[in-house]
Each structure stands twice: as structure tokens, then as C-alpha cells.
Amino acid sequence: MTKELLLACEIAESDLRKSVQALAKDISGLRTLNWADHATEKRLTEVETAPDIIIIDGGQESSLFSRVKTLKNHFPAAALFVISDNMDPQHIIDAMKSGATEYLVKPLNAE
């Protein structure tokens, strides 16, 4: 029996969130949760099941690194992906040092 993976999306941008969810629904054994408006960071103790994968947007750049650290501290086993339009190499390095597993640059495409 294959374990179901839990994907938590904390993406404020509606079109991007819909694109990620559309791609995810085609993957067998993957269930998606929508964490809206950084609500999970405010109520991390209320999360019942730890996600296997977390995808966040780089939206508010000033708080990105602390968001990544907070989420990684609460869910150390989760793969944490950041999606941003910021291609500055130092920004990407700082996101990775904060705990991001991967850094994806917008726009995303399915190819």
C-alpha cells in the first residue's frame, strides 16, 4: 500500500495557487491542502497532520526567510519549496540557508 503524501500550499496569488493545485491533482497519491494568507504560521499548533511537502510563495520578501525558518522548524521532515519571481542569487542562497529545499522561479510551467 502506497503512502498518501500531503502537500500544503500557502500561495496567496490566486492564479499561481490554481496552477500548482492543477498540476498536483494529476499526481496519484498526493492530497493537497490550501493554507491561505499565512494562516498556518499563526496557528501551527493547530495543524493536525504534518505535510510531506510545503509550497509557499515569496510574496512578502521581507518576511520570507523567517517564514521558511518557522515552517522548517515545525515540520523538519517536509520538503519546503519557495516560489518567487526574485532571481537574485543571494536571495536564493538566503532562502536555501533558511531551510528551503528548492527555490522555483515564476512563472512556472508544466514542462
Side-chain angles (χ1 to χ4, degrees):
M1 182 173 186
T2 306
K3 177 189 179 229
E4 179 180 69
L5 294 176
L6 183 58
L7 166 65
C9 289
E10 187 177 278
I11 302 172
E13 186 182 319
S14 178
D15 290 341
L16 179 58
R17 183 175 59 251
K18 288 176 185 175
S19 294
V20 169
Q21 290 172 336
L23 290 170
K25 81 174 188 172
D26 293 335
I27 300 172
S28 174
L30 185 66
R31 184 168 58 102
T32 304
L33 292 176
N34 185 25
W35 287 351
D37 301 325
H38 313 301
T40 306
E41 288 179 46
K42 298 170 191 153
R43 300 187 312 265
L44 284 172
T45 57
E46 296 176 17
V47 175
E48 294 178 15
T49 305
D52 300 290
I53 305 163
I54 302 171
I55 300 177
I56 65 172
D57 62 21
Q60 294 180 334
E61 297 289 332
S62 61
S63 65
L64 176 64
F65 307 131
S66 65
R67 286 173 53 213
V68 169
K69 285 179 186 176
T70 299
L71 289 167
K72 201 59 179 173
N73 283 337
H74 278 81
F75 307 109
L80 198 155
F81 293 74
V82 173
I83 299 174
S84 177
D85 55 3
N86 188 332
M87 295 188 298
D88 176 54
Q90 188 59 53
H91 183 81
I92 296 169
I93 290 167
D94 290 343
M96 302 297 281
K97 284 182 177 179
S98 296
T101 307
E102 291 292 336
Y103 188 99
L104 307 172
V105 177
K106 293 191 264 185
L108 300 179
N109 63 44
E111 296 176 3

